Amino acid sequence: MNPRTFATGGYDHVVHLWKLTEDSQGAIASPLAIRHASLVQSLLPICDTSCKLVSAGADCSVHLWDLSSERVVNTMKTSNSVYHVHKTLTSFSTLLEVAHRELQFEVRDHRLVPERPVQRFGYEASKPHGRDGIFACGDREGNVRLWDLRNTAHALQVLPAVSGRKLAQVIFSDNYLVASSEDQRLAFMPCFGQP
């Protein structure tokens, strides 16, 4: 939420909040009191009633860290390891990519007593694996799948990106989708609905 601040997490199970020095020549790290029992795989800043940091890990835990009170205000347990956390249209929910064979995505409402806490969807796969309501993800064959979160029965579109290579991450950047494979190959594609 602050342009001079960023967060990291990894194999040490710890989430660090970093602040750039005034001259931007270095950064100072502070560990956060977020307890993960395994690899921290994804972080996402959100702002609902306050600014928070979502941390998700291989331990099937998703924690919401409140930046102002400096504490975990909510923890969600998932049935599968979480690979990535993505923003949704509402600031009260997040989209999780999880290690599940048929239901690779979960939209989680992180309010304490939601009406419908989880919406699951996915595509048939042999192995486990948004913008304005459109969500993009990569698969093991090098394709990018676009989903409309208002209708998750089927992928909206499947775009070839890096043939035969597992995609590690897909992000929206300006008018493009950027897909990165596990062996650091990049593919740039026009965004859905762009020329």
Side-chain angles (χ1 to χ4, degrees), residues 42-57:
S42 188
L43 298 168
L44 176 72
I46 61 168
C47 222
D48 48 21
T49 56
S50 64
C51 292
K52 295 178 176 69
L53 180 67
V54 180
S55 70

Side-chain angles (χ1 to χ4, degrees), residues 8-16 31-41 55 57-59 63:
T8 62
Y11 287 101
D12 61 358
H13 312 174
V14 179
V15 176
H16 288 90
L32 302 181
I34 299 173
R35 303 282 181 243
H36 279 285
S38 188
L39 167 68
V40 178
Q41 298 194 122
S55 70
D59 59 354
H63 300 291

Side-chain angles (χ1 to χ4, degrees), residues 37-114:
S38 188
L39 167 68
V40 178
Q41 298 194 122
S42 188
L43 298 168
L44 176 72
I46 61 168
C47 222
D48 48 21
T49 56
S50 64
C51 292
K52 295 178 176 69
L53 180 67
V54 180
S55 70
D59 59 354
C60 301
S61 293
V62 178
H63 300 291
L64 273 76
W65 175 265
D66 187 85
L67 292 166
S68 59
S69 66
E70 298 184 354
R71 65 185 182 95
V72 173
V73 293
N74 194 2
T75 296
M76 297 172 279
K77 293 300 280 182
T78 62
S79 57
N80 301 87
S81 175
V82 179
Y83 294 135
H84 296 292
V85 182
H86 302 273
K87 289 184 179 181
T88 63
L89 292 174
T90 172
S91 58
F92 292 105
S93 66
T94 51
L95 189 144
L96 311 175
E97 282 186 62
V98 297
H100 191 276
R101 183 159 290 182
E102 292 87 20
L103 301 170
Q104 299 89 351
F105 311 106
E106 295 182 1
V107 179
R108 290 267 178 163
D109 189 326
H110 43 78
R111 292 171 287 191
L112 293 179
V113 188

Side-chain angles (χ1 to χ4, degrees), residues 9 21 39 64 95 108 111 123-124 130 135 139 177 182 189-190:
T21 57
L39 167 68
L64 273 76
L95 189 144
R108 290 267 178 163
R111 292 171 287 191
Y123 57 92
E124 188 175 324
F135 165 70
D139 65 19
L177 281 169
E182 284 193 330
M189 294 158 284

